[in-house]
Amino acid sequence: MSVAANGSRRFVLLGDPVGGSRSPAIHQAAFETAGIDGHYEARRVDLAGLGAAIDELRSGAIDGANITMPYKSTTAGMVDELDEDARLAGAVNTIVAGRGRLKGRNTDVVALRAALAASVGTVLILGAGGAAKAAAVASAGRDTLVSARNPAAAEAMAVRFGLDTVAWGDPAEGAAVINATPLGMAGETLPPGVVDAAGWLVDLAYGAEPTPAVTEALRRGLPVVDGIDLLVAQAAAAFTIWTGVAAPLEAMMRAARRA
């Protein structure tokens, strides 16, 4: 999608909660740096509000949207078309609007695939929600394990993606651990031993301070991709999808780190 010749373009983040999101600061920095007349806002919505926003996207009142918890899977059934990553994940985090039709994309997969690119060996995914499913798509072709606090959810995900399960809290020696749970956002720790055994950490959780998992991994000298790195990477992919312009990564990262 190319940049409109005139008039401000509107983009939204849809989810619940969204109050602590850094996405508005990240995208506003991107628009300003790229010289695009755009506005991005976070909108807390229930299911009815999500449906209303979908209608706004179809009408052209909103030019594009990001979707966050808990609506990524729900949104996959509300758009007209899914790209391959979104189809495989069964989840959408980016909507492209045009001529009354909506295309669902999953830039979480794009960001996670890049985060894993330099890692080797087994992948251990913690969680079984939408973010974990994106991680499963991103790690396709790798020896991948899934572990969740809800064993039934882990088993269902394992069957869907052809993975093996391990009990919650069991470490995987040398694995690239992907924390696709909220653990760490409020200072929670991952199960003892999981980070100790890891060879790499990708932590989707983030807060005002580095998560305990990130702190421990850095202390041990492990390669780390933290939640802010991933947030900016998926935002950059969405920005380029919406505008056709290369994302100004440095400006976006500065905005994310100080938000």
Side-chain angles (χ1 to χ4, degrees):
M1 179 182 290
S2 61
V3 180
N6 51 56
S8 180
R9 301 184 62 194
R10 293 184 60 207
F11 301 88
V12 295
L13 172 68
L14 304 171
D16 185 14
V18 295
S21 175
R22 304 189 189 195
S23 291
I26 292 168
H27 281 285
Q28 283 304 140
F31 290 139
E32 291 169 11
T33 303
I36 295 172
D37 185 5
H39 177 71
Y40 187 105
E41 66 180 72
R43 186 185 296 184
R44 182 181 178 184
V45 294
D46 57 13
L47 278 172
L50 177 64
I54 293 292
D55 290 341
E56 289 182 77
L57 284 155
R58 290 193 188 283
S59 72
I62 301 175
D63 295 286
N66 285 137
I67 310 297
T68 189
M69 65 175 73
Y71 300 124
K72 293 181 182 182
S73 297
T74 301
T75 302
M78 301 174 75
V79 297
D80 303 298
E81 182 183 354
L82 297 173
D83 77 349
E84 186 67 1
D85 285 340
R87 184 188 69 79
L88 290 171
V92 164
N93 82 320
T94 300
I95 297 177
V96 182
R99 299 181 180 178
R101 287 184 58 81
L102 306 181
K103 183 171 184 177
R105 307 285 294 263
N106 196 311
T107 64
D108 289 334
V109 175
V110 176
L112 284 161
R113 193 175 282 130
L116 288 170
S119 70
V120 297
T122 300
V123 175
L124 171 60
I125 300 171
L126 304 181
K133 292 179 176 66
V137 176
S139 60
R142 302 275 294 271
D143 180 14
T144 303
L145 310 171
V146 59
S147 179
R149 288 169 287 182
N150 181 337
E155 183 61 33
M157 183 170 150
V159 169
R160 174 176 174 177
F161 291 99
L163 313 178
D164 293 319
T165 61
V166 296
W168 179 252
D170 282 0
E173 192 66 36
V177 173
I178 303 176
N179 176 30
T181 78
L183 292 175
M185 295 184 75
E188 308 95 335
T189 59
L190 296 180
V194 169
V195 176
D196 288 340
W200 193 284
L201 177 67
V202 179
D203 192 355
L204 278 73
Y206 68 88
E209 301 294 334
T211 66
V214 166
T215 299
E216 176 61 16
L218 291 173
R219 186 188 69 78
R220 294 187 60 240
L222 297 181
V224 172
V225 180
D226 71 14
I228 302 299
D229 294 327
L230 289 164
L231 181 65
V232 170
Q234 67 81 19
F239 176 86
T240 298
I241 288 167
W242 288 330
T243 66
V245 175
L249 284 169
E250 291 185 6
M252 297 172 83
M253 185 61 76
R254 285 196 300 270
R257 294 289 179 188
R258 66 172 178 256

